[in-house]
Amino acid sequence: MTLLVQASMSLTLSTRSTLLLPKRLLTLHSFSCKMSSDSPPLTHSLALPSQLAAEPVQIVAAPNVSSSQFRMAIDSSLFKQWLKNMESETGILRDGSLYLKRVLIQGVDMFGKRIGFLKFEADVIDKETGKKVPGIVFARGPAVAVLVLLESVGKSYAVLTEQVRVPVGRIILELPAGMLDDDKGDFLGTAIREVEEETGISLKQEDMVDLTAFLDQSTGCRMFPSPGGCDEELSLYLYRGQVDKEIIEQLQGKETGLHEHGELIKVRVLPYEMLWRMTADAKVLTAVALYEMAKREGLLPPLKT
């Protein structure tokens, strides 16, 4: 299983402070928290290891972002991981042809005491042309989804969730899925927990197959549903089991989800051969493709009886 590589950054916001990356330093300057109707926006600056010869990157808060939200955004795992990705071996700043000039923090959505979603615009400049590369970012971090296949009376069924999805204005059939709740990178544990919360099915770690682990190592062994605007990276898992026909009937239409969190979920069970035609959910379609290719290549363990 692929674990999330976390940026080991510690951040103290003051007049002048240092943000520590592994073996290298990011120097931070001029953090201002003073706000009034005629005062300039909150600003912050940092020097990236890959851009030490350039001017520090300017971090600016939009007028609607408070000083506390601004500090939390800069110190969040979402922002730190984004910076780490930018400077990684496959990052866009790695070869020096592009540089990060400015980041505008536009929005912060809290999930309890932690940041759930972070919206910002990054000014990444092409050194050759001087033009800005499109860089509007909706950061939500890593997530998981599980393709649950149940064999019954010689037929294979897929277990899906029917959910209200306000952003697209539709009810969508999709895989049991969810975001990681913390920075520990427990993808497998999150996958098992989400399946139980959304379908009522309890799974064991030893029965799970990481489908994205079959991808080439250069990909990071995760799937990016919408890399043109969102940083979300998914680990897709497979579970296969055998059940009695009664279990299939009991699952169909079952109401689940965490109602206190506003989750309105119904379980839907479809014959596997119909799955790829019955939903436009990217998680489903990608999982089906990975499952079929892994099966064709003989990469899957035998189904337990």
PDB file of all heavy atoms in Angstrom, residues 216-244:
ATOM      1  N   ASP A 216       2.350   2.591 -12.466  1.00  0.00           N
ATOM      2  CA  ASP A 216       3.786   2.811 -12.463  1.00  0.00           C
ATOM      3  C   ASP A 216       4.185   3.746 -11.317  1.00  0.00           C
ATOM      4  O   ASP A 216       3.431   4.681 -10.973  1.00  0.00           O
ATOM      5  CB  ASP A 216       4.227   3.418 -13.802  1.00  0.00           C
ATOM      6  CG  ASP A 216       5.737   3.459 -13.958  1.00  0.00           C
ATOM      7  OD1 ASP A 216       6.323   2.448 -14.378  1.00  0.00           O
ATOM      8  OD2 ASP A 216       6.330   4.512 -13.620  1.00  0.00           O
ATOM      9  N   GLN A 217       5.351   3.519 -10.735  1.00  0.00           N
ATOM     10  CA  GLN A 217       5.802   4.319  -9.601  1.00  0.00           C
ATOM     11  C   GLN A 217       5.907   5.803  -9.930  1.00  0.00           C
ATOM     12  O   GLN A 217       5.754   6.656  -9.051  1.00  0.00           O
ATOM     13  CB  GLN A 217       7.161   3.806  -9.115  1.00  0.00           C
ATOM     14  CG  GLN A 217       7.111   2.434  -8.456  1.00  0.00           C
ATOM     15  CD  GLN A 217       6.283   2.430  -7.188  1.00  0.00           C
ATOM     16  OE1 GLN A 217       6.430   3.300  -6.342  1.00  0.00           O
ATOM     17  NE2 GLN A 217       5.405   1.438  -7.056  1.00  0.00           N
ATOM     18  N   SER A 218       6.137   6.143 -11.194  1.00  0.00           N
ATOM     19  CA  SER A 218       6.265   7.548 -11.591  1.00  0.00           C
ATOM     20  C   SER A 218       4.963   8.320 -11.407  1.00  0.00           C
ATOM     21  O   SER A 218       4.969   9.552 -11.338  1.00  0.00           O
ATOM     22  CB  SER A 218       6.712   7.648 -13.049  1.00  0.00           C
ATOM     23  OG  SER A 218       5.728   7.099 -13.919  1.00  0.00           O
ATOM     24  N   THR A 219       3.840   7.616 -11.309  1.00  0.00           N
ATOM     25  CA  THR A 219       2.541   8.264 -11.129  1.00  0.00           C
ATOM     26  C   THR A 219       2.264   8.635  -9.687  1.00  0.00           C
ATOM     27  O   THR A 219       1.323   9.383  -9.404  1.00  0.00           O
ATOM     28  CB  THR A 219       1.406   7.337 -11.606  1.00  0.00           C
ATOM     29  OG1 THR A 219       1.336   6.192 -10.726  1.00  0.00           O
ATOM     30  CG2 THR A 219       1.634   6.868 -13.032  1.00  0.00           C
ATOM     31  N   GLY A 220       3.067   8.091  -8.763  1.00  0.00           N
ATOM     32  CA  GLY A 220       2.775   8.257  -7.343  1.00  0.00           C
ATOM     33  C   GLY A 220       1.783   7.235  -6.844  1.00  0.00           C
ATOM     34  O   GLY A 220       1.403   7.234  -5.681  1.00  0.00           O
ATOM     35  N   CYS A 221       1.328   6.349  -7.760  1.00  0.00           N
ATOM     36  CA  CYS A 221       0.388   5.264  -7.425  1.00  0.00           C
ATOM     37  C   CYS A 221      -0.900   5.780  -6.795  1.00  0.00           C
ATOM     38  O   CYS A 221      -1.444   5.185  -5.869  1.00  0.00           O
ATOM     39  CB  CYS A 221       1.074   4.232  -6.530  1.00  0.00           C
ATOM     40  SG  CYS A 221       2.410   3.363  -7.364  1.00  0.00           S
ATOM     41  N   ARG A 222      -1.365   6.907  -7.337  1.00  0.00           N
ATOM     42  CA  ARG A 222      -2.674   7.423  -6.973  1.00  0.00           C
ATOM     43  C   ARG A 222      -3.325   8.018  -8.215  1.00  0.00           C
ATOM     44  O   ARG A 222      -2.645   8.316  -9.194  1.00  0.00           O
ATOM     45  CB  ARG A 222      -2.579   8.474  -5.860  1.00  0.00           C
ATOM     46  CG  ARG A 222      -1.970   7.891  -4.591  1.00  0.00           C
ATOM     47  CD  ARG A 222      -2.497   8.559  -3.337  1.00  0.00           C
ATOM     48  NE  ARG A 222      -1.837   7.964  -2.198  1.00  0.00           N
ATOM     49  CZ  ARG A 222      -0.723   8.451  -1.642  1.00  0.00           C
ATOM     50  NH1 ARG A 222      -0.192   9.546  -2.103  1.00  0.00           N
ATOM     51  NH2 ARG A 222      -0.171   7.838  -0.615  1.00  0.00           N
ATOM     52  N   MET A 223      -4.639   8.206  -8.150  1.00  0.00           N
ATOM     53  CA  MET A 223      -5.393   8.723  -9.284  1.00  0.00           C
ATOM     54  C   MET A 223      -5.819  10.155  -9.014  1.00  0.00           C
ATOM     55  O   MET A 223      -6.282  10.481  -7.919  1.00  0.00           O
ATOM     56  CB  MET A 223      -6.608   7.820  -9.528  1.00  0.00           C
ATOM     57  CG  MET A 223      -7.389   8.147 -10.795  1.00  0.00           C
ATOM     58  SD  MET A 223      -8.725   9.347 -10.563  1.00  0.00           S
ATOM     59  CE  MET A 223      -9.984   8.338  -9.783  1.00  0.00           C
ATOM     60  N   PHE A 224      -5.655  11.025 -10.020  1.00  0.00           N
ATOM     61  CA  PHE A 224      -6.054  12.424  -9.914  1.00  0.00           C
ATOM     62  C   PHE A 224      -7.330  12.643 -10.734  1.00  0.00           C
ATOM     63  O   PHE A 224      -7.276  12.664 -11.962  1.00  0.00           O
ATOM     64  CB  PHE A 224      -4.945  13.351 -10.419  1.00  0.00           C
ATOM     65  CG  PHE A 224      -3.698  13.318  -9.590  1.00  0.00           C
ATOM     66  CD1 PHE A 224      -2.659  12.451  -9.890  1.00  0.00           C
ATOM     67  CD2 PHE A 224      -3.566  14.143  -8.481  1.00  0.00           C
ATOM     68  CE1 PHE A 224      -1.512  12.406  -9.121  1.00  0.00           C
ATOM     69  CE2 PHE A 224      -2.421  14.106  -7.700  1.00  0.00           C
ATOM     70  CZ  PHE A 224      -1.392  13.235  -8.021  1.00  0.00           C
ATOM     71  N   PRO A 225      -8.485  12.815 -10.090  1.00  0.00           N
ATOM     72  CA  PRO A 225      -9.738  12.948 -10.828  1.00  0.00           C
ATOM     73  C   PRO A 225      -9.838  14.226 -11.664  1.00  0.00           C
ATOM     74  O   PRO A 225     -10.432  14.226 -12.735  1.00  0.00           O
ATOM     75  CB  PRO A 225     -10.813  12.954  -9.731  1.00  0.00           C
ATOM     76  CG  PRO A 225     -10.145  12.401  -8.519  1.00  0.00           C
ATOM     77  CD  PRO A 225      -8.704  12.778  -8.635  1.00  0.00           C
ATOM     78  N   SER A 226      -9.260  15.338 -11.169  1.00  0.00           N
ATOM     79  CA  SER A 226      -9.409  16.619 -11.866  1.00  0.00           C
ATOM     80  C   SER A 226      -8.199  17.513 -11.623  1.00  0.00           C
ATOM     81  O   SER A 226      -8.296  18.558 -10.973  1.00  0.00           O
ATOM     82  CB  SER A 226     -10.689  17.326 -11.384  1.00  0.00           C
ATOM     83  OG  SER A 226     -10.944  18.482 -12.134  1.00  0.00           O
ATOM     84  N   PRO A 227      -7.021  17.126 -12.150  1.00  0.00           N
ATOM     85  CA  PRO A 227      -5.782  17.854 -11.832  1.00  0.00           C
ATOM     86  C   PRO A 227      -5.706  19.256 -12.413  1.00  0.00           C
ATOM     87  O   PRO A 227      -4.830  20.030 -12.030  1.00  0.00           O
ATOM     88  CB  PRO A 227      -4.694  16.960 -12.429  1.00  0.00           C
ATOM     89  CG  PRO A 227      -5.380  16.210 -13.530  1.00  0.00           C
ATOM     90  CD  PRO A 227      -6.771  15.980 -13.037  1.00  0.00           C
ATOM     91  N   GLY A 228      -6.642  19.614 -13.311  1.00  0.00           N
ATOM     92  CA  GLY A 228      -6.646  20.971 -13.838  1.00  0.00           C
ATOM     93  C   GLY A 228      -7.121  22.008 -12.844  1.00  0.00           C
ATOM     94  O   GLY A 228      -6.892  23.212 -13.045  1.00  0.00           O
ATOM     95  N   GLY A 229      -7.768  21.566 -11.754  1.00  0.00           N
ATOM     96  CA  GLY A 229      -8.253  22.540 -10.780  1.00  0.00           C
ATOM     97  C   GLY A 229      -8.224  22.080  -9.346  1.00  0.00           C
ATOM     98  O   GLY A 229      -8.389  22.885  -8.433  1.00  0.00           O
ATOM     99  N   CYS A 230      -8.011  20.768  -9.128  1.00  0.00           N
ATOM    100  CA  CYS A 230      -8.099  20.223  -7.775  1.00  0.00           C
ATOM    101  C   CYS A 230      -6.905  19.325  -7.487  1.00  0.00           C
ATOM    102  O   CYS A 230      -6.442  18.583  -8.362  1.00  0.00           O
ATOM    103  CB  CYS A 230      -9.403  19.436  -7.632  1.00  0.00           C
ATOM    104  SG  CYS A 230      -9.683  18.746  -5.988  1.00  0.00           S
ATOM    105  N   ASP A 231      -6.419  19.388  -6.237  1.00  0.00           N
ATOM    106  CA  ASP A 231      -5.247  18.589  -5.848  1.00  0.00           C
ATOM    107  C   ASP A 231      -5.618  17.185  -5.381  1.00  0.00           C
ATOM    108  O   ASP A 231      -4.737  16.392  -5.036  1.00  0.00           O
ATOM    109  CB  ASP A 231      -4.479  19.294  -4.724  1.00  0.00           C
ATOM    110  CG  ASP A 231      -5.201  19.197  -3.377  1.00  0.00           C
ATOM    111  OD1 ASP A 231      -6.454  19.152  -3.370  1.00  0.00           O
ATOM    112  OD2 ASP A 231      -4.522  19.160  -2.337  1.00  0.00           O
ATOM    113  N   GLU A 232      -6.910  16.842  -5.348  1.00  0.00           N
ATOM    114  CA  GLU A 232      -7.336  15.558  -4.791  1.00  0.00           C
ATOM    115  C   GLU A 232      -6.621  14.384  -5.465  1.00  0.00           C
ATOM    116  O   GLU A 232      -6.538  14.301  -6.690  1.00  0.00           O
ATOM    117  CB  GLU A 232      -8.840  15.376  -4.951  1.00  0.00           C
ATOM    118  CG  GLU A 232      -9.349  14.079  -4.332  1.00  0.00           C
ATOM    119  CD  GLU A 232     -10.843  13.879  -4.516  1.00  0.00           C
ATOM    120  OE1 GLU A 232     -11.363  14.239  -5.587  1.00  0.00           O
ATOM    121  OE2 GLU A 232     -11.491  13.376  -3.574  1.00  0.00           O
ATOM    122  N   GLU A 233      -6.089  13.489  -4.637  1.00  0.00           N
ATOM    123  CA  GLU A 233      -5.467  12.270  -5.133  1.00  0.00           C
ATOM    124  C   GLU A 233      -6.111  11.085  -4.434  1.00  0.00           C
ATOM    125  O   GLU A 233      -6.304  11.080  -3.226  1.00  0.00           O
ATOM    126  CB  GLU A 233      -3.958  12.282  -4.903  1.00  0.00           C
ATOM    127  CG  GLU A 233      -3.533  12.544  -3.476  1.00  0.00           C
ATOM    128  CD  GLU A 233      -2.019  12.583  -3.323  1.00  0.00           C
ATOM    129  OE1 GLU A 233      -1.325  12.854  -4.306  1.00  0.00           O
ATOM    130  OE2 GLU A 233      -1.546  12.345  -2.198  1.00  0.00           O
ATOM    131  N   LEU A 234      -6.480  10.063  -5.230  1.00  0.00           N
ATOM    132  CA  LEU A 234      -7.265   8.950  -4.732  1.00  0.00           C
ATOM    133  C   LEU A 234      -6.492   7.648  -4.750  1.00  0.00           C
ATOM    134  O   LEU A 234      -5.798   7.333  -5.726  1.00  0.00           O
ATOM    135  CB  LEU A 234      -8.508   8.762  -5.595  1.00  0.00           C
ATOM    136  CG  LEU A 234      -9.715   9.657  -5.316  1.00  0.00           C
ATOM    137  CD1 LEU A 234     -10.683   9.581  -6.480  1.00  0.00           C
ATOM    138  CD2 LEU A 234     -10.409   9.238  -4.038  1.00  0.00           C
ATOM    139  N   SER A 235      -6.618   6.888  -3.677  1.00  0.00           N
ATOM    140  CA  SER A 235      -6.229   5.485  -3.670  1.00  0.00           C
ATOM    141  C   SER A 235      -7.502   4.677  -3.868  1.00  0.00           C
ATOM    142  O   SER A 235      -8.483   4.866  -3.139  1.00  0.00           O
ATOM    143  CB  SER A 235      -5.555   5.095  -2.353  1.00  0.00           C
ATOM    144  OG  SER A 235      -4.228   5.577  -2.305  1.00  0.00           O
ATOM    145  N   LEU A 236      -7.496   3.796  -4.864  1.00  0.00           N
ATOM    146  CA  LEU A 236      -8.661   2.978  -5.176  1.00  0.00           C
ATOM    147  C   LEU A 236      -8.402   1.540  -4.744  1.00  0.00           C
ATOM    148  O   LEU A 236      -7.397   0.939  -5.136  1.00  0.00           O
ATOM    149  CB  LEU A 236      -8.957   3.012  -6.673  1.00  0.00           C
ATOM    150  CG  LEU A 236      -9.308   4.385  -7.244  1.00  0.00           C
ATOM    151  CD1 LEU A 236      -9.443   4.315  -8.755  1.00  0.00           C
ATOM    152  CD2 LEU A 236     -10.580   4.920  -6.614  1.00  0.00           C
ATOM    153  N   TYR A 237      -9.327   0.996  -3.952  1.00  0.00           N
ATOM    154  CA  TYR A 237      -9.180  -0.357  -3.419  1.00  0.00           C
ATOM    155  C   TYR A 237     -10.252  -1.276  -3.992  1.00  0.00           C
ATOM    156  O   TYR A 237     -11.316  -0.827  -4.451  1.00  0.00           O
ATOM    157  CB  TYR A 237      -9.284  -0.341  -1.893  1.00  0.00           C
ATOM    158  CG  TYR A 237      -8.111   0.320  -1.214  1.00  0.00           C
ATOM    159  CD1 TYR A 237      -8.136   1.681  -0.934  1.00  0.00           C
ATOM    160  CD2 TYR A 237      -6.982  -0.411  -0.863  1.00  0.00           C
ATOM    161  CE1 TYR A 237      -7.067   2.300  -0.314  1.00  0.00           C
ATOM    162  CE2 TYR A 237      -5.899   0.200  -0.242  1.00  0.00           C
ATOM    163  CZ  TYR A 237      -5.943   1.544   0.026  1.00  0.00           C
ATOM    164  OH  TYR A 237      -4.875   2.152   0.631  1.00  0.00           O
ATOM    165  N   LEU A 238      -9.956  -2.554  -3.921  1.00  0.00           N
ATOM    166  CA  LEU A 238     -10.887  -3.595  -4.355  1.00  0.00           C
ATOM    167  C   LEU A 238     -11.138  -4.563  -3.209  1.00  0.00           C
ATOM    168  O   LEU A 238     -10.202  -4.965  -2.506  1.00  0.00           O
ATOM    169  CB  LEU A 238     -10.284  -4.373  -5.535  1.00  0.00           C
ATOM    170  CG  LEU A 238     -10.970  -5.694  -5.925  1.00  0.00           C
ATOM    171  CD1 LEU A 238     -12.337  -5.428  -6.547  1.00  0.00           C
ATOM    172  CD2 LEU A 238     -10.075  -6.491  -6.873  1.00  0.00           C
ATOM    173  N   TYR A 239     -12.405  -4.900  -3.021  1.00  0.00           N
ATOM    174  CA  TYR A 239     -12.764  -6.003  -2.118  1.00  0.00           C
ATOM    175  C   TYR A 239     -13.646  -6.969  -2.896  1.00  0.00           C
ATOM    176  O   TYR A 239     -14.605  -6.566  -3.570  1.00  0.00           O
ATOM    177  CB  TYR A 239     -13.520  -5.514  -0.888  1.00  0.00           C
ATOM    178  CG  TYR A 239     -14.115  -6.667  -0.097  1.00  0.00           C
ATOM    179  CD1 TYR A 239     -13.319  -7.421   0.761  1.00  0.00           C
ATOM    180  CD2 TYR A 239     -15.455  -7.034  -0.270  1.00  0.00           C
ATOM    181  CE1 TYR A 239     -13.850  -8.508   1.447  1.00  0.00           C
ATOM    182  CE2 TYR A 239     -15.987  -8.115   0.422  1.00  0.00           C
ATOM    183  CZ  TYR A 239     -15.175  -8.857   1.274  1.00  0.00           C
ATOM    184  OH  TYR A 239     -15.691  -9.934   1.933  1.00  0.00           O
ATOM    185  N   ARG A 240     -13.339  -8.267  -2.793  1.00  0.00           N
ATOM    186  CA  ARG A 240     -14.173  -9.312  -3.390  1.00  0.00           C
ATOM    187  C   ARG A 240     -14.536 -10.335  -2.314  1.00  0.00           C
ATOM    188  O   ARG A 240     -13.675 -10.759  -1.539  1.00  0.00           O
ATOM    189  CB  ARG A 240     -13.437 -10.019  -4.531  1.00  0.00           C
ATOM    190  CG  ARG A 240     -13.163  -9.125  -5.730  1.00  0.00           C
ATOM    191  CD  ARG A 240     -12.421  -9.890  -6.809  1.00  0.00           C
ATOM    192  NE  ARG A 240     -11.130 -10.362  -6.332  1.00  0.00           N
ATOM    193  CZ  ARG A 240     -10.379 -11.266  -6.975  1.00  0.00           C
ATOM    194  NH1 ARG A 240     -10.817 -11.813  -8.088  1.00  0.00           N
ATOM    195  NH2 ARG A 240      -9.214 -11.623  -6.480  1.00  0.00           N
ATOM    196  N   GLY A 241     -15.812 -10.690  -2.264  1.00  0.00           N
ATOM    197  CA  GLY A 241     -16.260 -11.670  -1.287  1.00  0.00           C
ATOM    198  C   GLY A 241     -17.457 -12.441  -1.807  1.00  0.00           C
ATOM    199  O   GLY A 241     -18.067 -12.072  -2.820  1.00  0.00           O
ATOM    200  N   GLN A 242     -17.785 -13.508  -1.113  1.00  0.00           N
ATOM    201  CA  GLN A 242     -18.930 -14.333  -1.468  1.00  0.00           C
ATOM    202  C   GLN A 242     -19.988 -14.224  -0.377  1.00  0.00           C
ATOM    203  O   GLN A 242     -19.667 -14.292   0.818  1.00  0.00           O
ATOM    204  CB  GLN A 242     -18.499 -15.787  -1.665  1.00  0.00           C
ATOM    205  CG  GLN A 242     -17.523 -15.977  -2.822  1.00  0.00           C
ATOM    206  CD  GLN A 242     -17.322 -17.438  -3.167  1.00  0.00           C
ATOM    207  OE1 GLN A 242     -18.126 -18.289  -2.820  1.00  0.00           O
ATOM    208  NE2 GLN A 242     -16.240 -17.727  -3.865  1.00  0.00           N
ATOM    209  N   VAL A 243     -21.242 -14.037  -0.795  1.00  0.00           N
ATOM    210  CA  VAL A 243     -22.331 -13.882   0.162  1.00  0.00           C
ATOM    211  C   VAL A 243     -23.557 -14.647  -0.333  1.00  0.00           C
ATOM    212  O   VAL A 243     -23.665 -15.007  -1.509  1.00  0.00           O
ATOM    213  CB  VAL A 243     -22.710 -12.394   0.356  1.00  0.00           C
ATOM    214  CG1 VAL A 243     -21.540 -11.607   0.915  1.00  0.00           C
ATOM    215  CG2 VAL A 243     -23.194 -11.776  -0.954  1.00  0.00           C
ATOM    216  N   ASP A 244     -24.509 -14.846   0.592  1.00  0.00           N
ATOM    217  CA  ASP A 244     -25.786 -15.440   0.222  1.00  0.00           C
ATOM    218  C   ASP A 244     -26.657 -14.398  -0.489  1.00  0.00           C
ATOM    219  O   ASP A 244     -26.471 -13.188  -0.323  1.00  0.00           O
ATOM    220  CB  ASP A 244     -26.522 -15.949   1.468  1.00  0.00           C
ATOM    221  CG  ASP A 244     -25.785 -17.098   2.145  1.00  0.00           C
ATOM    222  OD1 ASP A 244     -25.085 -17.845   1.433  1.00  0.00           O
ATOM    223  OD2 ASP A 244     -25.911 -17.233   3.386  1.00  0.00           O
TER     224      ASP A 244
END
